[in-house]
Amino acid sequence: MPLPPRWVRRIVLGPLVVALALFAATTIPLWLLLAAAASPLVPGRLRLLRLLWIGVVYLVWDAAALVTLFALWLASGFGWKVRSPAFQRAHYVLTGRFLRALFWQGRWALRVSIDVVGTDPDTAAPGRPEVVLCRHAGPGDSFILIQALVNWYDREPRIVLKDTLQWDPAIDVMLNRLPNRFIAPGRTPGDSIEAQIGHLATGLDDNDALVIFPEGGNFTPRRRIRAIERLRARGHAEMAARAENMRNVLAPQPGGMLAALDAAPDSGVIFVAHTGLDRMLTVADIWRELPMDKRLVMRFWSVPPEEVPSDREERIAWLYDWWARIDKWIETYRL
């Protein structure tokens, strides 16, 4: 479904979410009673009750964020200074606080814990910009990564993400006010995706982190096969052969990484892998896995700028080497 114009999202979707949140908040006792009564009929420990609660929490969270963002817009002179350094910082602080609140509820209602193993980006790479390359698998991994960067490592991320996320009004407003790029592969007007990523990576400072998901979408077995077929169709037989040996990740698309490293040559690179969301590939999978009651594991590897290859072909091979390493790590840590 095509994304509606921005004015529709602001005038229709945003107020609609606030109205739905008010309705849900005022009628929540009734819904909780109904969910509690129906829970014994559904497999899982209070599944309906817990899912209803987290759904209402997310709706209210979205609405509260929209109201706060509207207040910031007013305070900035009806948007006049919303992109000034002070208001940009205010938006990052707001992002951190709202993510912290959301994850607190997630830990309580879904019983999810997140453990980080390996390099701590804050101690391994203090005071330098970073290009963050993360695998993409399962719903919510973007939230988890941004939560880690903003609240654990005090970074200000610039994110490359799909335009469909703008269906969420709070994400739409918040991330469009910060230096991020929403892209629609094959449908992005103007500059190429690589050019937009290069522009986004220009001027990274010591607490910035450019976040890219080189696979371009969540992992599924079908997407993995299609990615390998595309490589072969384009004459990249060696890359296709390497991708065939990786069973848990999609073949990475190097264009975004190359553009980012060219635009920010002094940046380090952080590779990120995670497990725990891998089995949530379809709506049926999500229903089966939620509430999760599980431990998610994240792994960071930090590479200093001097260890990043300078040649284009070497960088592509290097990216595939790292993706093969991530693939093996997933086999070891998959829950």
Side-chain angles (χ1 to χ4, degrees):
M1 181 183 298
L3 192 70
R6 178 173 293 192
W7 70 268
V8 173
R9 306 198 305 268
R10 297 293 186 272
I11 296 175
V12 179
L13 293 184
L16 179 61
V17 165
V18 174
L20 287 174
L22 287 172
F23 173 77
T26 54
T27 59
I28 187 63
L30 173 62
W31 300 113
L32 290 177
L33 285 172
L34 291 173
S39 283
L41 305 176
V42 178
R45 182 173 175 271
L46 299 177
R47 173 177 290 181
L48 282 180
L49 193 61
R50 293 162 68 188
L51 289 180
L52 172 67
W53 177 257
I54 204 66
V56 171
V57 164
Y58 188 85
L59 187 61
V60 172
W61 177 87
D62 223 65
L66 285 171
V67 171
T68 309
L69 288 165
F70 180 68
L72 278 176
W73 181 77
L74 292 176
S76 69
F78 300 96
W80 178 43
K81 292 186 176 181
V82 77
R83 298 192 184 279
S84 67
F87 277 94
Q88 291 281 284
R89 182 57 192 164
H91 280 76
Y92 276 117
V93 171
L94 181 65
T95 298
R97 290 180 179 175
F98 270 91
L99 283 174
R100 188 179 294 117
L102 185 64
F103 274 77
W104 173 70
Q105 280 295 316
R107 286 194 300 270
W108 179 75
L110 301 180
R111 296 183 181 273
V112 177
S113 64
I114 304 172
D115 293 340
V116 176
V117 298
T119 300
D120 180 332
D122 218 22
T123 57
R128 77 175 182 223
E130 298 288 346
V131 173
V132 180
L133 306 175
C134 183
R135 75 169 297 218
H136 212 353
D141 60 354
S142 304
F143 279 91
I144 294 169
L145 176 58
I146 303 309
Q147 150 78 1
L149 291 174
V150 173
N151 286 323
W152 300 347
Y153 306 124
D154 198 25
R155 292 281 177 167
E156 295 184 348
R158 304 182 183 186
I159 317 164
V160 181
L161 21 65
K162 285 191 173 181
D163 68 332
T164 50
L165 287 171
Q166 293 172 104
W167 278 102
D168 184 307
I171 292 175
D172 181 18
V173 176
M174 175 71 80
L175 296 191
N176 271 305
R177 290 186 187 175
L178 293 170
N180 302 295
R181 286 293 184 278
F182 288 97
I183 59 173
R187 296 183 286 111
T188 302
D191 294 338
S192 68
I193 291 173
E194 288 78 10
Q196 292 186 56
I197 292 173
H199 178 73
L200 189 62
T202 301
L204 294 177
D205 62 28
D206 57 3
N207 70 336
D208 285 336
L210 178 71
V211 179
I212 306 174
F213 298 89
E215 293 161 304
N218 281 323
F219 173 88
T220 68
R222 182 176 297 179
R223 284 179 177 170
R224 173 181 171 273
I225 292 171
R226 286 206 303 263
I228 294 170
E229 290 173 347
R230 280 197 300 270
L231 287 172
R232 283 211 174 87
R234 295 170 183 171
H236 303 303
E238 183 178 349
M239 292 165 66
R242 296 197 66 180
E244 279 189 321
N245 291 326
M246 296 185 285
R247 313 300 299 182
N248 308 289
V249 293
L250 302 181
Q253 302 173 37
M257 180 200 73
L258 295 172
L261 293 178
D262 286 343
D266 297 328
S267 296
V269 176
I270 293 175
F271 292 92
V272 184
H274 58 80
T275 64
L277 300 173
D278 312 69
R279 297 184 179 91
M280 301 169 72
L281 304 178
T282 67
V283 173
D285 293 336
I286 295 172
W287 171 253
R288 184 184 64 249
E289 293 289 325
L290 289 175
M292 288 191 272
D293 298 290
K294 65 174 62 178
R295 169 177 168 260
L296 308 184
V297 183
M298 296 187 72
R299 175 67 155 95
F300 291 82
W301 293 269
S302 183
V303 181
E306 60 271 17
E307 294 182 16
V308 177
S310 56
D311 177 75
R312 175 185 174 87
E313 296 304 318
E314 289 180 353
R315 283 179 172 175
I316 294 174
W318 178 72
L319 175 63
Y320 269 75
D321 289 341
W322 270 104
W323 236 245
R325 182 174 180 175
I326 288 171
D327 180 66
K328 292 179 180 178
W329 181 87
I330 293 167
E331 286 286 352
T332 302
Y333 277 86
R334 172 170 281 148
L335 302 176

